Amino acid sequence: MPLHVPPAPASALRSVLTALSSPTAVREARTPSLLGVQGPASPELPLPVHVLDRVTADGGTATRLAGWRFLIRTGDRAVAAADTVLTADGWTFSRFFEGPYIASTELALRQAEAMAQPYQPRLLSVPGLYMLALWLHGDPTADGATAHPAATDLLVPLAPAPPGIAAHRAHRVTDLLPVLTHRATPTRLLGSPA
């Protein structure tokens, strides 16, 4: 089934296109793969980036929209990504970057396209574990900027994943969130004061 990529805010796309056309923004990005691009580069696959702030005792989640991420494609592959953030003036370009999450995101998206059920792709950042996951939301018509992970949604940890969590393996939210919560919560040392 094809993925239903939510539309990014027009101002987010405009700001990335402006940055891509700016030699200064590209040069200052310190992304060798973007600097060495031969031919046109275009922003594609806008994914809303949500941050997992906490998991409540009843298994609910507190997430917030932190930005939109675009894969920067040249030819048949993504060479970098561009992030946008919300400011008082609307969505604006934040940064270009490269690294292992680019290829990992592409791989996870290809895997998701092969699934029988349609999903809306998003990214979920888990700051306490330095983890990023492809969040496959079960309602493909939902507003990509809102909502919390539903029990039936899938999370696909991107590589590099934290030790003990397999990258590129789809997990139901109800199965993976308790593991993430336990791992992100510091435990008291034996003998330390309560």
Side-chain angles (χ1 to χ4, degrees):
M1 285 301 242
L3 294 176
H4 297 269
V5 178
S11 58
L13 177 58
R14 271 194 311 273
S15 70
V16 171
L17 288 169
T18 300
L20 269 175
S21 67
S22 165
T24 304
V26 171
R27 191 171 42 253
E28 289 179 357
R30 296 186 181 97
T31 53
S33 60
L34 192 57
L35 284 170
V37 166
Q38 300 295 323
S42 61
E44 296 180 1
L45 290 169
L47 298 173
V49 180
H50 295 261
V51 175
L52 179 65
D53 287 326
R54 71 180 185 281
V55 178
T56 61
D58 63 355
T61 58
T63 60
R64 62 183 160 81
L65 179 66
W68 285 81
R69 177 166 295 165
F70 295 79
L71 294 181
I72 306 300
R73 186 171 297 283
T74 181
D76 62 348
R77 67 185 186 96
V79 296
D83 279 347
T84 62
V85 294
L86 187 59
T87 66
D89 296 323
W91 290 98
T92 187
F93 170 76
S94 173
R95 67 184 179 127
F96 289 118
F97 67 95
E98 60 185 38
Y101 284 132
I102 308 301
S104 186
T105 301
E106 279 195 306
L107 175 58
L109 287 167
R110 281 194 305 273
Q111 290 172 325
E113 286 176 343
M115 294 179 175
Q117 179 178 337
Y119 287 102
Q120 182 186 84
R122 303 168 178 194
L123 293 172
L124 183 66
S125 173
V126 185
L129 294 176
Y130 301 100
M131 178 181 162
L132 188 63
L134 180 64
W135 167 12
L136 298 172
H137 189 55
D139 180 1
T141 62
D143 179 357
T146 61
H148 301 285
T152 56
D153 288 355
L154 299 178
L155 295 175
V156 182
L158 300 180
I165 296 176
H168 297 285
R169 183 170 167 238
H171 303 268
R172 288 214 178 277
V173 164
T174 53
D175 296 334
L176 188 58
L177 278 184
V179 173
L180 299 180
T181 303
H182 175 72
R183 302 226 12 223
T185 304
T187 56
R188 286 191 310 233
L189 297 174
L190 292 176
S192 65

